[in-house]
Structure formats: structure tokens, C-alpha cells
Amino acid sequence: MLHFSKISTKGKDFNLIASGALAFKIHNKILKDETFMKGTKVSRNLLQSNAVLKADNNDHKKVFFVIISDLDKMNAASLCNMIAKERAKGSFAVCQVIPMFYNEPSFKALKMLRQNFDEVIELNKLTLGGGKALISTEQQNCIITDYSISMARIMRNVCVNDHVTKEKEVKKGQLAYA
């Protein structure tokens, strides 16, 4: 299942997509974060992972943040097709992968994601300081969740601030010609 949320602020859309159990938990925590609750309108959709995702007909640029945890269970083709179409319109898409298994289907899906996203961030087993891996999966999930929320905040703020800056430039330009 793909959990698709559109967060609209100041006329700018930030799209958040999650696939997998851990990704869904992170998705929900992101939406409950104060940054995403202030002055925003959130629309949520649930899609089958192999469903054809329809891209909007309008040609404005969007920002996509995709979190995938169960990579081998996901049919990434429809998601990658939609992202490729959006990127052709000038949109920006980042994919964060939290691999649960390392097998051939997940490697193939990861290769497909790398070809269709602007950036693919793969979060492997986390280590602290001296290179000792965190043993508790609960600790790993907590750090991964914090990292994902921070990443989503940064992407949303850049998305909104970029739009505001351009809006101010247009207003200044209009005043100069008036």
C-alpha cells in the first residue's frame, strides 16, 4: 500500500509518500509534527502499491519525499513512472529507503528508484561513534524516524521558502513597472 499525502501551504504543495510498515509509522509522525500542522491543508490517499498513480494535469513544479521500508514487497514501477513524469515537468523528488532485506528483488527496485529520483538515500544499519552497530532495532527505528522528520522539515521549508522568495521577486518586479 502507498500512503500519499499532499500538504499545501501558501499555495505550494509538499507531497509525502510512504510504503511499508515502518515508513507508514514515520509518515504519521511527520504529519503530527508541529511544522506540518501550522497553516496547512493535508489531503491523504491510500493506494494499492501496483495501482497506476495519476499525475496532475497542471504543469507546476512539486516536491516529493518518498519513504520506503519494505522495498522487496513493493512494486516500484508505477511509483517510478509517476515520479519520472513529474520530474520531466521540473519537480524534485527524494526517496529515502530503509532496507529490511537484501535480496535480488530489492536490489532491482533500488536500481529503478535511483534511475527515477533526483536523490535516493539508503539508510543501512546505523552505527555510533566507534563504528559499533546499534543492536536494538527499536533504537535504530527511533533514530531513523528522527532523521526522516528532520529531512521532511527541511524539504518542506525549502519548498515553501523558495515559493515565497519568488513571489516577493515578482511583486518587486511589478512595482518597478507600475
Side-chain angles (χ1 to χ4, degrees), residues 26-96:
I26 293 170
H27 176 266
N28 283 337
K29 285 188 178 186
I30 289 172
L31 292 178
K32 291 176 184 174
D33 189 81
E34 286 182 24
T35 306
F36 298 93
M37 295 179 79
K38 293 179 185 174
T40 62
K41 178 186 172 200
V42 177
S43 60
R44 298 180 88 168
N45 294 302
L46 182 64
L47 303 167
Q48 295 291 333
S49 59
N50 60 357
V52 177
L53 295 171
K54 295 180 181 176
D56 292 340
N57 291 333
N58 54 13
D59 289 333
H60 72 281
K61 298 175 186 178
K62 299 176 190 164
V63 175
F64 291 88
F65 183 47
V66 179
I67 305 169
I68 301 172
S69 59
D70 300 334
L71 188 60
D72 64 328
K73 295 179 183 175
M74 180 187 151
N75 179 2
S78 61
L79 174 65
C80 287
N81 288 337
M82 186 211 52
I83 294 296
K85 289 176 187 173
E86 291 294 334
R87 284 185 63 213
K89 296 178 192 175
S91 296
F92 184 72
V94 172
C95 182
Q96 176 183 293

Side-chain angles (χ1 to χ4, degrees), residues 52-164:
V52 177
L53 295 171
K54 295 180 181 176
D56 292 340
N57 291 333
N58 54 13
D59 289 333
H60 72 281
K61 298 175 186 178
K62 299 176 190 164
V63 175
F64 291 88
F65 183 47
V66 179
I67 305 169
I68 301 172
S69 59
D70 300 334
L71 188 60
D72 64 328
K73 295 179 183 175
M74 180 187 151
N75 179 2
S78 61
L79 174 65
C80 287
N81 288 337
M82 186 211 52
I83 294 296
K85 289 176 187 173
E86 291 294 334
R87 284 185 63 213
K89 296 178 192 175
S91 296
F92 184 72
V94 172
C95 182
Q96 176 183 293
V97 180
I98 307 165
M100 297 295 169
F101 304 103
Y102 288 100
N103 54 24
E104 190 173 343
S106 66
F107 289 133
K108 287 181 180 179
L110 193 57
K111 181 180 178 184
M112 188 184 327
L113 292 171
R114 285 188 180 124
Q115 293 170 347
N116 290 286
F117 281 81
D118 291 297
E119 191 70 42
V120 176
I121 302 163
E122 185 178 352
L123 300 179
N124 295 332
K125 288 186 177 180
L126 299 172
T127 59
L128 291 177
K132 184 178 178 183
L134 290 174
I135 296 172
S136 168
T137 55
E138 209 171 289
Q139 288 176 320
Q140 289 180 357
N141 291 346
C142 181
I143 292 172
I144 287 170
T145 301
D146 289 345
Y147 176 83
S148 302
I149 291 172
S150 297
M151 181 75 144
R153 275 190 207 127
I154 291 167
M155 289 184 63
R156 181 207 167 265
N157 289 335
V158 167
C159 170
V160 171
N161 290 338
D162 180 47
H163 177 67
V164 170

